[in-house]
Amino acid sequence: MKKIPILRLNRILLVSIQEDLTDNEAMQFQSDLVNKVAEIEALGVAVDITALDVVDSYMARVINDTASMVRLLGAEVMICGIQPFVAITLIEMGRDLIGADCAFNLDQGLDMLKTRIAGRGDIRFTDDGDD
Amino acid sequence: MPVAAPPDTGPVARERGLHVICIRGEQHVMQAARTARQLAERLGFTRNLAYHVATATSELASNLAVHAGGGHVYLRPLAGPDGHPTGLEVIAEDQGPGIVDLTLAMTEGYSTASRLGCGLPGASRLMDEFYIRSTPGQGTHVRAVKWRQAETPEPKRAAT
């Protein structure tokens, strides 16, 4: 079973989904991430899906659910790097398959996360001495 | 027509342009999508259309894995009106429980397995032609076709 590494950058977590996940892998990924967010009280999570070229409704759901779970805990989420063809296909397929906020790439996603976190006035972030 | 399950000879078998992907679990879904994309690209589909086909194939293969306990995906180039292979046919077939209410299954937002509920309607929107036939207790047969050009001169309504 594939395990998706969760990288930590101060109070932000980085995950990169490189391949389609099966049901079990998705469950495992979601619980790993949610636990990690809770454990370190992460303020933001960036989910990079640059490497995914086929996002069907199932993967869209996994991504969306994961974002919602993380938000419920109190962290900001940014989906990064959706490919143009994936975007076209997702919208053609219908409805709001991805409801979370998105960014062009990880770089921009991290910037946006930091801006948001700073906008919350959360002193824990500045206390960490980021940057 | 129910056929006996062929021997497990690896996930993809090829025969005169026909690609058969045996879906026995979710791990084979990606294989089906990738094969569909490669085939579409080889037929000269734009990248955009190739991803449409790949995503629709992924939806159909995923249905086989999740709802039907496995099945087969058949991918085949189709000749267009000018005789050149300009179309790609995707057939997903299973001997699973079948779909009792097809209208309901094709309805946006309806799902029995707590999924997004846009698998079938989504796949049909991504393809140019989409036919589905299901007999409860016997299985489901889906045939979908994508043409290389955006507009097809009168798509043939061939019987499935």
Side-chain angles (χ1 to χ4, degrees), chain A residues 61-123:
Chain A
R61 184 192 161 92
V62 168
I63 293 164
N64 250 350
D65 284 359
T66 309
S68 307
M69 289 170 190
V70 168
R71 268 196 299 243
L72 277 177
L73 294 180
E76 304 281 347
V77 188
M78 201 64 76
I79 311 295
C80 310
I82 293 185
Q83 297 290 322
F85 302 106
V86 171
I88 293 169
T89 311
L90 275 175
I91 298 303
E92 292 250 325
M93 212 162 30
R95 302 202 306 165
D96 301 320
L97 287 175
I98 300 274
D101 296 305
C102 303
F104 279 107
N105 47 47
L106 198 51
D107 198 31
Q108 197 194 44
L110 282 177
D111 277 351
M112 284 163 80
L113 277 178
K114 285 179 184 172
T115 311
R116 284 216 187 157
I117 292 163
R120 285 172 158 196
D122 198 324
I123 53 158

Side-chain angles (χ1 to χ4, degrees), chain A residues 2 28 31-33 42 50 54 89 97 114 124:
Chain A
K2 291 188 289 279
Q28 185 66 49
S31 73
D32 284 354
L33 183 62
T50 311
V54 173
T89 311
L97 287 175
K114 285 179 184 172
R124 291 176 302 170

Side-chain angles (χ1 to χ4, degrees), chain A residues 23 58, chain B residues 23-26 29 59-71 97 111-115:
Chain A
D23 262 340
Y58 175 67
Chain B
I23 309 289
R24 288 173 188 275
E26 289 172 89
V29 173
E59 297 288 352
L60 296 177
S62 180
N63 278 349
L64 296 183
V66 172
H67 298 291
S111 175
T112 49
S114 75
R115 299 201 156 209

Side-chain angles (χ1 to χ4, degrees), chain B residues 29-132:
Chain B
V29 173
M30 207 51 199
Q31 176 88 46
R34 202 172 301 134
T35 311
R37 199 195 70 207
Q38 287 163 353
L39 192 54
E41 281 173 351
R42 218 171 313 138
L43 289 172
F45 280 54
T46 60
R47 238 181 127 190
N48 188 11
L49 290 185
Y51 280 99
H52 277 42
V53 177
T55 308
T57 306
S58 175
E59 297 288 352
L60 296 177
S62 180
N63 278 349
L64 296 183
V66 172
H67 298 291
H72 290 89
V73 171
Y74 303 89
L75 301 164
R76 191 168 57 137
L78 282 190
D82 58 352
H84 292 292
T86 51
L88 177 50
E89 178 189 60
V90 183
I91 289 176
E93 206 173 41
D94 66 66
Q95 275 89 55
I99 301 169
V100 177
D101 190 339
L102 270 183
T103 319
L104 192 57
M106 289 300 289
T107 305
E108 204 74 25
Y110 175 78
S111 175
T112 49
S114 75
R115 299 201 156 209
L116 268 182
C118 64
L120 283 178
S124 76
R125 218 165 304 132
L126 291 175
M127 302 297 280
D128 292 328
E129 298 171 39
F130 194 87
Y131 314 87
I132 182 165

